[in-house]
Amino acid sequence: MHDLPDSRLLAFLRDPASYPHRPRELREIHTHASLVFVVPPFVYKIKKPVDFGFLDFSSLEKRRHFCHREVELNSRLAPGIYLGVETITRQPSGFSFGGDGPPVEVAVRMRELPPGGFLHELLRNGTAGQPELDRVARVLADFYQKQPPSPEIARWGTIENLRISTDENFSQTRAFIGRTLTPAAFDAIRAFTTHCYDSLAELFARRVAGGWIRDCHGDLHLDHIHITGDTTHIYDCIEFNDRFRHIDVASDVAFLAMDLDHHGHPELARFFVRRTAGLLDDPELERLMDFYKCYRAYVRGKVEGFRAENEASAPAADLARRYFRLALQYAVCGSFPQALVFMGRVATGKSTLARALARELGWPRISSDERRKHLAGAPPHQRGSEAERRALYAPEMTSRTYDSIIREARDTIRAGHGIILDATFSKREHRDRLRESLGDENVKWFVTQADVTTARDRLLQRDRQPDAVSDARSSDQAFLDAAFEPPDELPPERKRIVETTGAADQVLRRLLIDLARDT
């Protein structure tokens, strides 16, 4: 591949006999910018000859400079782990670590951190929780407080300079649209970013004036934290671009919180943010979490997108999609779990919109039509006889259906995750039960509307689709509309009217952008 060293040098690095301590085993790991050789009890890290714009390792001189910077900077949070920089030279017999031959490459030499102690492993095994996150918060709070603020560092917290990074992200990810990033997500995340710069301008200025822009870690995710009984090492900070490290401490904290969310631990993410804010006596840190978590998830999507392109990696592409979806969640829903309810009269487009948003966010969707037939043991894509429909839509069956979807929504919210409900909610009693079960603060209502002609046309089209899950047909429209109880009781701040007339993709795009500007 074009971003790997010379094939002969690569063969040297892949041979255990090449290393001075003659390891018994060797493992090779690729990242988008590095080639890592684990040769217990050491690790050798080679920087790939790549230039991504924000990262430039294209020359040997640059790779040497950034290797030394990596060792220097990581001594702050991982003392004793980074041992130095080794020069690989060309000898008459081949290559060698050290020696007086011409240098051909450089490597960072590290101590191997024993497997099993990385935070992502501890969480996966169920052996990490609030005590371990408390340790991390304490180490980081002490670290941040020891980093002296300066005008040179502080300038990177201004909106003008923050835009350099966010604009760069959007420019560099345009090529991913349609592959790992949807057009609607791209537009919504960009709208959210602009909205934050406008609505939080005074807060950003206070952060700069208050000295919260420090020389931080810059790449604070689970894989870079190692915990044993008596040590906490945080390694692999950003060395290749000071701009990514001279950041608000909130941005550093947001990276780890985002990664905890990504790995399914939203409750620990919230604990870590609150704990760090308390240790720093920084009550405004939490107000910036949605902005910085969105930014961090988007950057991870970008990085995995690059890896997917460069290595033709399907797993990297899937990971990029997941990170971009997470960035969209922060942009349109924030960090706290919510139930998004799509309700409305028949054929107003609620199911189409609910399905589309579920795909964009990667959230589960519960359809009352599907749940009703599942509970009744009826085929989902088959419209029963008139007698079967009377039983299926009897009041007791309707009550049972709403009990089921409300219970699942409640359990999902309590677990810290979001969910989408696709149901008519035509009766106030069902809406009241959902509000009582979840609380108004955890529910957003989207009341779909379409003009009479559009709704009728949709029902006529459904008449010609015998495999539709919904049993409502054009002959039912007047009866169902008359039975619909307008949701006038819902809190105005938690309710949004959504006009669905028009192309479905444009309806979704408008909704996402509107939500991004309200978050």
Side-chain angles (χ1 to χ4, degrees):
M1 296 177 66
H2 69 279
D3 59 358
L4 294 179
D6 174 90
S7 59
R8 291 167 298 177
L9 176 59
L10 196 56
F12 166 80
L13 293 167
R14 287 171 170 167
D15 183 357
S18 301
Y19 297 84
H21 64 293
R22 298 296 190 268
R24 293 184 177 181
E25 62 175 290
L26 180 150
R27 299 195 315 276
E28 181 178 333
I29 302 170
H30 287 251
T31 72
H32 69 291
S34 298
L35 192 55
V36 180
F37 296 91
V38 182
V39 284
F42 302 111
V43 174
Y44 287 75
K45 182 178 178 183
I46 309 292
K47 298 188 184 301
K48 292 179 179 178
V50 294
D51 181 358
F52 294 134
F54 62 88
L55 173 156
D56 185 0
F57 296 157
S58 57
S59 70
L60 177 59
E61 180 181 354
K62 290 176 180 177
R63 295 196 292 279
R64 178 183 289 110
H65 167 75
F66 286 118
C67 279
H68 283 287
R69 284 291 282 163
E70 181 173 355
V71 172
E72 175 189 0
L73 291 167
N74 279 289
S75 66
R76 304 175 302 171
L77 282 165
I81 301 301
Y82 287 75
L83 303 177
V85 178
E86 298 279 348
T87 300
I88 302 173
T89 61
R90 189 185 303 276
Q91 304 293 326
S93 58
F95 299 102
S96 172
F97 285 101
D100 56 4
V104 294
E105 196 51 87
V106 286
V108 172
R109 182 169 174 262
M110 307 167 57
R111 294 190 191 280
E112 182 190 18
L113 291 164
F118 296 97
L119 189 49
H120 71 279
E121 296 174 313
L122 297 174
L123 289 167
R124 185 176 62 233
N125 297 332
T127 53
Q130 289 189 4
E132 287 69 29
L133 268 298
D134 181 74
R135 284 175 59 179
V136 174
R138 288 179 178 275
V139 168
L140 287 170
D142 180 67
F143 167 67
Y144 296 141
Q145 289 164 339
K146 289 178 179 177
Q147 302 305 308
S150 71
E152 173 60 26
I153 292 174
R155 69 187 180 92
W156 289 109
T158 65
I159 289 177
E160 177 185 10
N161 283 323
L162 287 172
R163 285 187 187 275
I164 294 175
S165 295
T166 54
D167 287 352
E168 180 179 75
N169 285 340
F170 295 128
S171 174
Q172 292 175 336
T173 53
R174 281 188 178 277
F176 299 160
I177 295 175
R179 298 202 288 272
T180 54
L181 176 62
T182 69
F186 179 86
D187 289 343
I189 295 169
R190 189 170 55 172
F192 170 74
T193 302
T194 300
H195 170 70
C196 287
Y197 287 144
D198 293 338
S199 62
L200 300 176
E202 292 184 3
L203 178 55
F204 284 121
R206 283 200 304 274
R207 303 296 290 180
V208 173
W212 290 112
I213 317 304
R214 306 287 176 97
D215 191 333
C216 297
H217 183 279
D219 200 16
L220 193 64
H221 55 86
L222 296 175
D223 295 7
H224 292 167
I225 299 173
H226 189 273
I227 299 175
T228 61
D230 56 356
T231 63
T232 302
H233 286 117
I234 303 175
Y235 70 104
D236 208 14
C237 76
I238 295 289
E239 88 289 350
F240 54 81
N241 193 324
D242 290 348
R243 166 164 56 100
F244 298 153
R245 208 178 58 255
H246 293 173
I247 54 177
D248 194 316
V249 297
S251 180
D252 230 25
V253 170
F255 202 145
L256 184 54
M258 178 277 297
D259 213 27
L260 287 164
D261 286 340
H262 171 71
H263 283 85
H265 301 282
E267 73 292 343
L268 288 179
R270 287 188 283 275
F271 168 81
F272 170 68
V273 171
R274 289 194 306 268
R275 185 68 178 123
T276 309
L279 290 167
L280 292 171
D281 191 20
D282 181 9
E284 291 193 311
L285 179 145
E286 294 188 62
R287 289 186 59 196
L288 290 164
M289 279 301 103
D290 288 342
F291 171 79
Y292 279 122
K293 286 166 79 173
C294 177
Y295 166 73
R296 290 302 191 177
Y298 200 89
V299 169
R300 291 298 297 164
K302 178 178 76 170
V303 169
E304 292 301 329
F306 282 139
R307 190 160 72 89
E309 301 269 325
N310 290 339
E311 301 174 15
S313 168
D318 181 63
L319 192 53
R321 293 185 192 98
R322 290 172 57 199
Y323 276 118
F324 285 134
R325 282 198 297 265
L326 184 57
L328 181 64
Q329 290 175 30
Y330 296 133
V332 302
C333 298
S335 296
F336 289 87
Q338 296 185 52
L340 307 183
V341 182
F342 286 83
M343 59 164 292
R345 288 181 167 83
V346 64
T348 54
K350 56 186 176 297
S351 294
T352 299
L353 191 53
R355 278 193 296 268
L357 188 60
R359 286 194 299 269
E360 288 285 348
L361 296 177
W363 283 8
R365 164 185 159 268
I366 307 176
S367 160
S368 62
D369 289 329
E370 295 169 3
R371 181 59 53 91
R372 184 189 298 268
K373 290 186 174 181
H374 173 76
L375 292 173
H381 298 285
Q382 180 176 315
R383 193 171 191 245
S385 66
E386 185 176 343
E388 289 170 331
R389 293 200 305 276
R390 277 199 302 269
L392 189 61
Y393 292 92
E396 57 271 21
M397 191 65 202
T398 296
S399 182
R400 185 182 170 198
T401 299
Y402 277 96
D403 282 346
S404 175
I405 65 176
I406 290 171
R407 185 167 54 249
E408 184 169 341
R410 181 198 62 206
D411 292 345
T412 302
I413 294 294
R414 286 180 178 176
H417 304 291
I419 192 166
I420 293 175
L421 305 186
D422 167 14
T424 304
F425 275 98
S426 62
K427 300 298 183 185
R428 176 169 178 169
E429 65 174 290
H430 300 141
R431 301 192 293 262
D432 287 346
R433 279 155 59 186
L434 181 66
R435 295 175 65 191
E436 181 180 352
S437 181
L438 271 63
D440 279 334
E441 70 279 6
N442 293 320
V443 184
K444 281 188 177 180
W445 302 86
F446 299 88
V447 184
T448 55
Q449 289 188 170
D451 60 71
V452 175
T453 301
T454 298
R456 184 182 299 113
D457 288 345
R458 289 170 177 169
L459 285 170
L460 289 171
Q461 184 178 13
R462 190 182 296 172
D463 290 346
R464 298 188 292 272
Q465 295 175 327
D467 60 345
V469 176
S470 174
D471 288 334
R473 297 295 187 266
S474 57
S475 57
D476 305 314
Q477 185 176 16
F479 168 76
L480 293 173
D481 282 352
F484 185 85
E485 299 175 4
D488 298 331
E489 82 286 356
L490 296 178
E493 69 277 9
R494 306 298 298 176
K495 179 177 68 175
R496 178 184 294 271
I497 306 300
V498 183
E499 174 57 58
T500 66
T501 303
D505 59 340
Q506 290 305 309
V507 172
L508 174 66
R509 178 182 177 276
R510 287 196 305 270
L511 175 62
L512 287 174
I513 290 176
D514 286 347
L515 289 173
R517 290 169 175 163
D518 285 349
T519 302

